[in-house]
Amino acid sequence: MAEGGVTTLAGFRRRRRYQAERGRHGEGGKRHGRSGEDLVIAVPVGTVVGMVGGDGEGEVVGDLTVQGQRVVVARGGKGGRGNARFATSIRQAPRIAERGQKGGQGQVVLDLKLLSDVGIVGLPNAGKSTLLRAVSSARPKVAEYPFTTLEPVLGVVEVGYESFVLADLPGIIEGAHKGVGLGHQFLRHVERTRVLVHLLDGSQPDPMSDQQALNQELASYSEDLKRKHQQVVVNKLDLPEVERRMGELDGRLRALGEEPLFISAATGEGVRALLQRLLSLLSTIEVPAVAEPEVPVLRPRGRQARFTVVKQQGRFVVQGEGPVSLVEMMGLESEEARLEVRHRLTRMGVVSALRRAGVRAGDRVRFGTVEMEWQA
Ligand SMILES: Nc1nc2c(ncn2[C@@H]2O[C@H](COP(=O)(O)OP(=O)(O)OP(=O)(O)O)[C@@H](O)[C@H]2O)c(=O)[nH]1
Ligand SMILES: [Mg+2]
């Protein structure tokens, strides 16, 4: 479940295993077993939840973009059904009852994509962190060497009664898509921003080629990033050499179709105009289609009737949630339970699949934790 109070996934580095309660066994006297309690794990808003299937392939099962949104990754164990469930006109007082089921299990992959409205991208030392400090109360480290910022930092920018979230990202350099520098790993954090501020260091020898290099890197990360709306901003206007070439840079950027702004993140010059521009851009660009106020609960695909039969070291192994949980829950202690299991396995097609696989009376057949001797 996405919770506002949780801001990082760091806690999951220490604890990796979570287990919900199993279901209680069904009872006589018509009583059903209690279902296992749900285990709710809080993750930050912006967490993408994936599950690794039996085939090792990952699948995204939820994208928690709204506070309170939930995704069910594993069901708690169902309570076993009581004996009344198995009564029929012939079996008036069955002595069988299902066992409580173990909860579902699976490997869950959590990936945090920060949610911000505007992301600042630029080469190292362009002044990205200085800009975030100038406009919010966030305090990212600023220094005159490259790669000062190693992880994205978010700040809330307030402009009058309005506000937006601005993300300061680590510097990107040419070849980042090949893993140079800090690589691309954090670019996923800006995949969902609405606007990118492309910050250029006006004091660099060739800001125009810096701009190209960065765009190249964005494009090699993804088409989406390439298409994202960019506001080009030239920084360090307080330096005389930058002020001197402002006209020239402005003309060259406009020739590329940009509407550049010039600022000094250090003195604050031009920063107000930048914020106004960003607000008006944000008002025209839609939030990427994610947030839904309805707070939907996403569920992975329903329980699958699918199963496989393989022969391993002389015994047959049936894999698949349906048949395995059936056998584990029913148990095989009594004749009645065995008949019920057999009946349902036949309906699921497991019996004929086993026959096709060559099972004979007396062979061992394993379902999860239960192994049985096959009866013809
Ligand atoms: N003169 C001047 N220097 C600036 C300005 N903005 C930033 N700087 C300086 O540029 C250097 C880099 O600033 P940072 O804000 O750390 O740059 P960054 O883009 O966050 O750098 P990385 O995190 O390493 O990618 C620091 O020495 C800043 O003081 C500015 O407007 N004018
Ligand atoms: Mg920085």
Side-chain angles (χ1 to χ4, degrees):
M1 179 169 77
E3 264 188 25
V6 185
T7 54
T8 75
L9 291 173
F12 294 94
R13 282 196 194 124
R14 274 172 275 122
R15 186 170 169 205
R16 290 166 177 272
R17 226 184 118 88
Y18 290 82
Q19 193 164 18
E21 229 179 287
R22 65 173 295 150
R24 298 294 177 81
H25 299 329
E27 297 169 47
K30 300 183 181 176
R31 286 190 300 270
H32 283 198
R34 195 167 58 75
S35 283
E37 288 282 323
D38 285 344
L39 175 70
V40 179
I41 302 167
V43 297
V45 175
T47 300
V48 177
V49 183
M51 293 225 33
V52 180
D55 51 3
E57 289 284 308
E59 182 193 7
V60 171
V61 294
D63 190 352
L64 305 181
T65 54
V66 182
Q67 165 111 355
Q69 199 176 357
R70 287 166 176 243
V71 58
V72 178
V73 291
R75 289 156 215 274
K78 273 203 308 190
R81 287 174 290 191
N83 61 343
R85 163 65 181 69
F86 299 98
T88 62
S89 56
I90 303 159
R91 292 188 297 191
Q92 290 296 339
R95 285 184 308 273
I96 54 172
E98 284 180 336
R99 298 179 188 185
Q101 192 190 16
K102 283 197 304 187
Q105 47 183 289
Q107 196 180 336
V108 176
V109 179
L110 301 176
D111 182 14
L112 180 58
K113 291 191 182 185
L114 296 176
L115 296 176
S116 57
D117 301 299
V118 180
I120 314 174
V121 291
L123 302 188
N125 264 338
K128 300 177 293 297
S129 303
T130 309
L131 176 57
L132 183 68
R133 289 176 75 107
V135 297
S136 75
S137 55
R139 286 288 163 266
K141 192 173 158 196
V142 167
E144 72 278 7
Y145 51 83
F147 301 117
T148 310
T149 306
L150 299 174
E151 299 227 296
V153 183
L154 299 186
V156 177
V157 181
E158 290 181 358
V159 192
Y161 292 111
E162 299 188 83
S163 68
F164 61 87
V165 177
L166 182 63
D168 165 29
L169 292 181
I172 301 163
I173 55 173
E174 203 171 343
H177 68 279
K178 298 187 205 118
V180 179
L182 290 176
H184 271 167
Q185 357 135 9
F186 46 80
L187 275 181
R188 63 204 165 89
H189 294 302
V190 286
E191 275 176 89
R192 303 207 274 210
T193 64
R194 286 186 276 165
V195 176
L196 292 179
V197 165
H198 184 154
L199 196 64
L200 292 169
D201 181 345
S203 69
Q204 284 301 302
D206 190 357
M208 296 303 294
S209 79
D210 290 351
Q211 191 222 8
Q212 256 185 15
L214 191 95
N215 280 337
Q216 198 79 55
E217 288 306 321
L218 295 181
S220 61
Y221 180 77
S222 86
E223 279 294 307
D224 278 355
L225 269 197
K226 186 177 147 192
R227 279 197 299 270
K228 210 170 272 291
H229 191 94
Q230 270 195 20
Q231 173 61 53
V232 172
V233 177
V234 180
N235 189 29
K236 311 200 180 178
L237 186 57
D238 56 293
L239 299 174
E241 73 261 32
V242 179
E243 209 192 339
R244 232 178 290 123
R245 69 209 284 209
M246 181 174 159
E248 177 220 328
L249 276 176
D250 187 62
R252 291 179 67 183
L253 286 164
R254 281 180 190 280
L256 296 176
E258 302 292 347
E259 291 182 39
L261 289 172
F262 290 76
I263 66 164
S264 165
T267 67
E269 185 181 357
V271 168
R272 272 193 69 82
L274 169 61
L275 298 185
Q276 291 298 342
R277 172 78 59 88
L278 292 176
L279 270 187
S280 77
L281 284 172
L282 287 173
S283 69
T284 60
I285 296 170
E286 289 199 5
V287 183
V290 274
E292 282 164 41
E294 283 300 302
V295 189
V297 173
L298 304 162
R299 290 179 188 283
R301 276 176 291 157
R303 177 161 306 160
Q304 290 166 347
R306 276 191 270 143
F307 59 87
T308 58
V309 176
V310 288
K311 200 166 178 184
Q312 274 172 6
Q313 294 155 352
R315 68 161 84 82
F316 293 85
V317 179
V318 178
Q319 285 167 325
E321 198 190 337
V324 169
S325 63
L326 165 69
V327 176
E328 287 184 342
M329 285 177 84
M330 292 296 302
L332 301 164
E333 269 92 73
S334 71
E335 182 61 22
E336 266 181 306
R338 285 196 292 274
L339 282 173
E340 179 76 21
V341 165
R342 180 66 174 229
H343 175 62
R344 289 206 235 164
L345 286 178
T346 306
R347 273 205 329 231
M348 285 177 178
V350 177
V351 172
S352 50
L354 277 163
R355 288 208 180 110
R356 278 198 303 276
V359 76
R360 300 256 181 82
D363 284 344
R364 308 296 300 175
V365 181
R366 168 168 283 282
F367 294 81
T369 55
V370 179
E371 194 166 302
M372 63 170 85
E373 186 174 305
W374 194 251
Q375 324 262 308

